[in-house]
């Protein structure tokens, strides 16, 4: 497998650029393929649970029930669970609270972990996975002296699902292995999940409820780790870091009915992703990274920046790829949507490609 390790210098990538910028910059009404939040969410029953919690806003948030619900969902004691204001807060806590001296981030992936590490004064090394290998992880590419390693699974933006066994090869005493599983609940059956594992030294798993349940504006996620790590991260949090409505949402999303609903949504997403990939394969010069496992796909094409701008004019927002280390201006990320939306997008893509080609 081809990978390379880069010491971080003054990175040209805009690590703080996220998909929401693609749909709010100019006020245009666009069909959103740039943000990976599932459409049609939050569902009515979840909105009702959140609304019912508003009667308790006069009291300080009490996270005990939500924490217990998350622990039970993963078969863990509550001491191994930390509730956070989304996964983004967890990355900041990890960067500030853990004594990492040689952190490594495996790219391409969500850029917030590296941004948080840089913001906390760390010098970051990057392991850059190669498109020629389908962005697969080679554990041997990670430097032996790394004492903090961050990797996504399935990875945003590549949609690659790394084998659990490959990830576990990175775990060892004296190293914190952070696996971002923010999109794992969008994978049918979660076959490579490490959430719930207690046998890997230094393992920290991050989960988010914002994507599957449409709670990006509420900010709720959690960390699963050994009790000492959880305690260290909790000590770095401000008081009452998760709001009462977010706690109500977390508890509601851990019920058997909610988990069954999420599993059904994951199966639908897999079918809709297959339809999108089949449509993309019809275009010359457009190559998607496969196999894809997340609710999004990464595609490579010449003149991707011009295609993205043309798509905007046609009413579609796509996520640019050049802000992700390890990618460049020929890449776009596309969120998976329902079949009707995908068909409309594919027609627009055909027009955009025709317009930008000489």
């Amino acid at each position: 497998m081809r990978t390379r390790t880069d010491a971080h210098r003054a990175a040209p990538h805009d690590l703080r650029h996220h998909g929401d910028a693609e749909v709010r910059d100019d006020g245009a009404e666009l069909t959103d393929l740039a943000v990976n939040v599932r459409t049609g969410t939050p569902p009515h029953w979840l909105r009702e649970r959140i609304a019912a919690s508003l009667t308790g806003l006069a009291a300080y948030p009490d996270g005990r029930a939500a924490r217990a619900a998350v622990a039970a969902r993963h078969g863990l004691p509550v001491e191994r669970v930390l509730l956070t204001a989304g996964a983004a807060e967890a990355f900041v806590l990890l960067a500030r609270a853990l004594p990492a001296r040689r952190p490594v981030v495996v790219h391409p992936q969500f850029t917030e972990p590296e941004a948080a590490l840089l913001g906390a004064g760390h010098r970051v090394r990057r392991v850059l996975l190669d498109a020629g290998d389908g962005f697969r992880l080679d554990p041997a590419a990670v430097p032996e002296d790394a004492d903090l390693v961050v990797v996504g699974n399935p990875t945003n933006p590549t949609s690659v699902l790394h084998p659990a066994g490959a990830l576990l090869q990175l775990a060892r005493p004296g190293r914190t292995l952070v696996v971002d599983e923010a999109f794992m609940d969008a994978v049918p059956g979660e076959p490579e999940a490490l959430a719930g594992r207690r046998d890997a030294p230094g393992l920290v798993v991050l989960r988010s409820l914002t994507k599957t349940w449409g709670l990006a504006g509420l900010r709720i996620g959690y960390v699963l780790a050994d009790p000492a790590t959880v305690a260290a991260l909790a000590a770095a949090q401000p008081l009452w870091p998760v709001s009462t409505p977010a706690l109500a949402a977390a508890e509601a999303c851990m019920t058997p009915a909610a988990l069954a609903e999420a599993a059904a949504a994951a199966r639908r997403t897999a079918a809709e992703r297959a339809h999108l990939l089949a449509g993309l394969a019809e275009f010359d010069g457009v190559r998607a990274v496969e196999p894809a496992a997340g609710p999004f796909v990464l595609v490579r094409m010449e003149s991707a920046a011009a295609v993205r701008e043309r798509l905007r004019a046609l009413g579609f927002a796509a996520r640019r790829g050049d802000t992700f280390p390890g990618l460049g201006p020929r890449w776009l990320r596309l969120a998976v949507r329902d079949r009707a939306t995908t068909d409309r997008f594919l027609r627009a893509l055909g027009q955009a490609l025709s317009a930008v080609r000489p």
Side-chain angles (χ1 to χ4, degrees):
M1 294 184 183
R2 292 168 287 178
T3 60
R4 66 183 190 275
T5 304
D6 289 353
H8 175 79
R9 298 179 179 85
H13 302 90
D14 181 2
L15 300 178
R16 296 292 190 182
H17 181 90
H18 300 299
D20 61 318
E22 311 284 356
V23 293
R24 60 174 166 79
D25 280 347
D26 58 13
E29 290 195 16
L30 302 170
T31 298
D32 180 11
L33 304 184
V35 176
N36 295 319
V37 174
R38 184 164 63 99
T39 56
T41 55
H44 179 72
W45 63 264
L46 183 53
R47 293 198 303 270
E48 287 188 333
R49 286 288 296 273
I50 293 169
S53 74
L54 300 181
T55 60
L57 291 186
Y60 286 97
D62 183 348
R64 288 176 294 179
R67 189 183 185 196
V70 171
R73 182 255 192 272
H74 293 288
L76 295 171
V78 293
E79 293 79 11
R80 298 184 71 95
V81 176
L82 179 70
L83 303 175
T84 61
E89 188 206 6
F91 290 125
V92 172
L93 295 174
L94 289 162
R96 294 178 179 177
L98 299 188
R101 301 185 65 181
R102 295 174 296 278
V104 168
V105 179
V106 179
H107 286 289
Q109 76 150 312
F110 184 48
T111 54
E112 202 60 33
E114 181 169 318
L117 286 163
L118 294 174
H122 295 281
R123 181 175 175 84
V124 180
R125 286 179 291 177
R126 296 171 175 170
V127 170
L128 301 177
L129 305 185
D130 192 88
D133 291 326
F135 298 107
R136 291 178 295 167
L137 173 67
D138 179 4
V142 175
E144 281 292 327
D145 67 346
D147 56 0
L148 174 68
V149 179
V150 186
V151 60
N153 203 38
T155 302
N156 171 20
T158 64
S159 208
V160 171
L161 183 66
H162 302 297
L167 294 171
L168 289 173
Q169 290 182 48
L170 297 174
R172 61 200 60 184
R175 170 186 288 176
T176 300
L177 171 61
V178 180
V179 181
D180 177 9
E181 292 188 352
F183 293 99
M184 188 62 79
D185 61 353
V187 180
E190 302 187 9
E192 307 300 336
L194 295 179
R197 294 287 294 261
R198 291 188 257 183
D199 56 344
L203 176 64
V204 176
V205 175
L206 275 54
R207 288 277 180 128
S208 171
L209 300 177
T210 63
K211 312 301 184 182
T212 288
W213 296 112
L215 299 174
L218 197 60
R219 312 307 308 142
I220 178 64
Y222 53 90
V223 176
L224 306 174
D226 66 86
T229 298
V230 166
L233 299 179
Q237 281 184 309
L239 291 173
W240 311 291
V242 181
S243 70
T244 294
L247 293 171
E251 187 177 358
C253 291
M254 297 299 118
T255 65
L259 295 176
E261 183 174 326
R267 293 190 293 270
R268 287 195 302 272
T269 296
E272 290 158 354
R273 183 180 60 241
H275 180 68
L276 172 60
L277 289 169
L280 292 170
E282 296 296 317
F283 294 103
D284 292 334
V286 176
R287 182 176 67 82
V289 175
E290 295 190 65
F296 47 86
V297 298
L298 182 66
V299 297
R300 186 185 189 278
M301 64 184 78
E302 296 297 324
S303 304
V307 169
R308 184 173 67 89
E309 289 304 315
R310 185 60 184 165
L311 285 170
R312 289 185 70 84
L314 294 169
F316 290 88
R319 172 66 160 90
R320 58 191 282 198
D322 61 338
T323 65
F324 291 100
L327 299 183
R330 295 185 177 89
W331 295 92
L332 296 176
R333 191 193 68 196
L334 305 171
V336 174
R337 300 297 186 227
D338 63 272
R339 181 169 294 220
T341 301
T342 293
D343 288 342
R344 287 194 299 108
F345 165 72
L346 291 170
R347 290 193 292 271
L349 178 60
Q351 297 176 47
L353 290 168
S354 297
V356 302
R357 284 172 178 161

